[in-house]
Amino acid sequence: MDLGRGRFLAATGAAIAAGAIPGGAVAQSVKLPFANGDRPLVAFPQKRPLIVLTPRPPQLETPFAVFDQGVYTPNDAFYVRWHLANIPQSVNADTHRIAVTGLVNSALSLSLADLGAMPAVELAAVNQCSGNSRGLFEPRVAGGEWSNGAMGNALWTGVRLRDILDRAGVKAGAKQVQFNGLETGVFPATPNFKKSLDLDVARGDDVIVAYAMNGQPLPVLNGYPVRLIVPGWFATYWVKMLSAITVRDTVDDNFWMKTAYRIPDTPNNDVLPSQTGFPTIPINRMRVRSFVTNVADGGTLPEGSRALRGIAFDGGSGIKGVEVSSDSGATWRDATLEADYGKYSFRRWHAELDVPRGTFVVAVRATGNDGATQRATAGWNPSGYMRSAIETYQVTVS
Amino acid sequence: MTKQSLIVLGIVIALSASAFAATKATPPKGTATISLPGDAGMAFKPGPGAGVVQGQCLSCHSSAYVSTQPVLTKAQWTAEVTKMKAVYGAPIPDDQVPTIVDYLTTQYGKP
């Protein structure tokens, strides 16, 4: 467990009163807790100031304090992650179509109105980037250098993918369903971003094509007018500005499935940094995680307060329990779980520390209904995916 | 945004939030348009080879993809440049690769 890491400067926004940034925002910055962690805070269209990883393509991290403010992450604070820079900046929901083709009895071209005429489903689900927390890997790995804010929880409304597939009629021999959105590369040679799910996963009860997020249209940067929602699974599959659904009779071998977004097929999906030649599989379900949200690492609780609050989630079994420790994980006591918004949602929890005044290493550990729990030691994989170790925070009680 | 329009927006959000507690949201209508800020004044560090890197590494993404990386070794930067060419189709002439790798290793890496 990494107890001595640099103190997290929680969006204190060491304000530099800089000139206007295109878009009219005022520049501020934060320092994420790893080398080369300086980031500007900029308000992109339909967004409040977020932590900019790269402006082009837009990759914006949610400041962690937002997660203390409610079980749902507001749309204007929801993180943003695109792969390719050619993103439509104007999308017409009235003319947008989703082409359903491939191994189906009748190809479809679905409008948003067509979706509106189908049975609506609503569910809360966490969307987490595969590489959330990559910057905290040790040894470091190249990639999108996120801290813990490449995730969010929203209420999604849409229609079941299964209902769409049934309407088209999936033919015998179908193996996978592939998804494409409107994002494309700057050069034609760049592999188009497409993702595929095995047919049984695609036909799951809770996989939906969502046209609303927290009761509102999706922000353009989160995939207006429709995106795929694969609850419990990492966000790489949640294709934004969804425009094509293709039923395939073969396993997708495009770059984004065959080469990228793969995890070691080893115990805990861990390997040693020196290891090579291990088998890999496509990344899939999220692992159980929990965080403290009301105080940052290195922070001080309000005078006299010993109250901790936070969030927990997993890959869809739901949270069974959360424990907190004030002695760096030597002993644990149960936290109280708050309202249940469903097995794919953030689950809020609170606890009271049983400590005198002083500085303590607080740790938080969640367990899922499937029995999986968080480990003290962070595992490692070469792409920096699915970090899920127990989080620790140096906290002062005053 | 003016103070007034912020207040109006606040009311709209409050109304729609209470409305959505009762009924499910319906599909959106119309065109949503945004204007992305581009690279917002970011640039590669000056130094030998900066011009070549500027020419070859800004077409697909911001320089921030480079400056936010951990301190990579020369072998790791070589692998990155090779990946940009081989995987993402960056049209970088082979004879410019050593200049680019030297620049990245000096400015953003370690030997």
Side-chain angles (χ1 to χ4, degrees):
Chain A
M1 210 181 295
D2 181 5
L3 306 183
R5 67 170 184 253
R7 305 274 75 89
F8 176 50
L9 303 183
T12 44
I16 10 166
I21 280 172
V26 174
Q28 292 191 311
S29 65
V30 295
K31 170 125 187 54
L32 300 175
F34 42 77
N36 294 338
D38 293 303
R39 305 276 187 274
L41 273 168
V42 180
F44 274 57
Q46 304 178 310
K47 295 286 171 181
R48 70 178 77 175
L50 299 178
I51 301 166
V52 182
L53 173 57
T54 61
R56 183 174 51 91
Q59 302 196 88
L60 312 173
E61 173 164 350
T62 303
F64 210 80
V66 167
F67 301 114
D68 195 48
Q69 289 158 15
V71 73
Y72 292 125
T73 313
N75 290 2
D76 73 341
F78 213 96
Y79 88 99
V80 170
R81 194 281 195 252
W82 293 83
H83 297 79
L84 309 175
N86 222 352
I87 304 159
Q89 299 191 42
S90 188
V91 184
N92 186 345
D94 302 339
T95 55
H96 184 82
R97 295 290 182 273
I98 303 173
V100 186
T101 61
L103 215 61
V104 292
N105 292 325
S106 44
L108 307 174
S109 172
L110 296 173
S111 67
L112 271 286
D114 293 332
L115 298 185
M118 296 172 70
V121 182
E122 201 168 63
L123 58 83
V126 174
N127 171 292
Q128 180 183 213
C129 177
S130 309
N132 191 24
S133 321
R134 178 179 289 117
L136 300 164
F137 268 66
E138 208 45 68
R140 297 281 303 272
V141 298
E145 303 299 325
W146 305 103
S147 187
N148 291 327
M151 62 175 185
N153 185 42
L155 182 70
W156 309 96
T157 315
V159 305
R160 279 203 178 88
L161 176 61
R162 186 171 65 211
D163 291 349
I164 293 176
L165 293 173
D166 285 347
R167 191 158 156 181
V170 174
K171 286 188 183 167
K175 269 207 171 71
Q176 287 197 322
V177 185
Q178 185 190 62
F179 307 92
N180 194 7
L182 297 182
E183 134 188 58
T184 57
V186 174
F187 289 93
T190 306
N192 197 346
F193 185 72
K194 296 180 194 167
K195 296 298 296 188
S196 290
L197 294 171
D198 285 348
L199 185 63
D200 61 325
V201 176
R203 292 185 59 86
D205 285 346
D206 301 320
V207 178
I208 62 178
V209 172
Y211 45 71
M213 174 175 174
N214 292 325
Q216 300 292 327
L218 281 74
V220 172
L221 291 176
N222 295 110
Y224 182 89
V226 267
R227 80 180 295 175
L228 189 70
I229 303 303
V230 191
W233 284 51
F234 279 103
T236 179
Y237 296 99
W238 300 37
V239 172
K240 297 180 286 296
M241 297 185 182
L242 181 67
S243 57
I245 298 174
T246 312
V247 180
R248 303 169 53 94
D249 59 359
T250 55
V251 171
D252 194 350
D253 62 355
N254 98 72
F255 168 78
W256 300 103
M257 290 299 299
K258 193 186 171 186
T259 310
Y261 288 109
R262 299 196 60 107
I263 54 173
D265 190 11
T266 55
N268 289 313
N269 313 111
D270 286 340
V271 290
L272 295 171
S274 56
Q275 217 169 321
T276 55
F278 45 85
T280 64
I281 50 170
I283 194 167
N284 47 82
R285 277 190 188 281
M286 298 188 291
R287 286 194 189 137
V288 63
R289 298 192 81 174
S290 58
F291 299 91
V292 172
T293 55
N294 66 315
V295 60
D297 187 19
T300 300
L301 290 170
E303 199 179 335
S305 171
R306 288 170 174 74
L308 286 185
R309 289 188 300 275
I311 51 174
F313 64 95
D314 76 345
S317 84
I319 293 301
K320 181 168 151 198
V322 172
E323 299 155 286
V324 295
S325 166
S326 54
D327 52 13
S328 133
T331 60
W332 297 90
R333 49 202 307 232
D334 286 339
T336 305
L337 297 182
E338 298 184 1
D340 187 357
Y341 290 80
K343 60 187 179 179
Y344 303 113
S345 171
F346 280 159
R347 187 80 187 259
R348 284 169 71 86
W349 57 265
H350 63 263
E352 195 72 15
L353 287 176
D354 182 20
V355 291
R357 288 200 181 121
T359 298
F360 305 90
V361 175
V362 166
V364 57
R365 175 171 78 183
T367 303
N369 288 320
D370 60 2
T373 191
Q374 296 179 258
R375 293 178 294 160
T377 325
W380 194 90
N381 62 76
S383 300
Y385 292 143
M386 51 202 310
R387 186 181 167 92
S388 56
I390 292 172
E391 303 289 332
T392 62
Y393 307 81
Q394 185 178 301
V395 172
T396 298
V397 174
S398 64
Chain B
M1 208 181 273
T2 64
K3 219 178 211 171
Q4 253 168 347
S5 63
L6 270 177
I7 292 167
V8 172
L9 189 67
I11 293 169
V12 170
I13 288 168
L15 283 177
S16 47
S18 58
F20 111 81
T23 53
K24 282 182 189 143
T26 52
K29 291 194 172 78
T31 301
T33 302
I34 60 170
S35 174
L36 289 170
D39 282 352
M42 289 180 170
F44 283 110
K45 290 186 201 168
V52 178
V53 170
Q54 211 107 8
Q56 297 296 354
C57 304
L58 287 177
S59 42
C60 300
H61 51 70
S62 313
S63 59
Y65 238 144
V66 169
S67 62
T68 55
Q69 292 309 305
V71 181
L72 302 179
T73 61
K74 183 166 188 173
Q76 289 173 309
W77 277 123
T78 305
E80 285 298 327
V81 176
T82 307
K83 178 176 166 190
M84 297 308 133
K85 273 171 64 81
V87 174
Y88 300 131
I92 303 172
D94 284 339
D95 62 2
Q96 291 189 0
V97 171
T99 310
I100 294 172
V101 169
D102 285 346
Y103 166 87
L104 294 169
T105 309
T106 307
Q107 303 300 335
Y108 298 98
K110 59 189 175 194

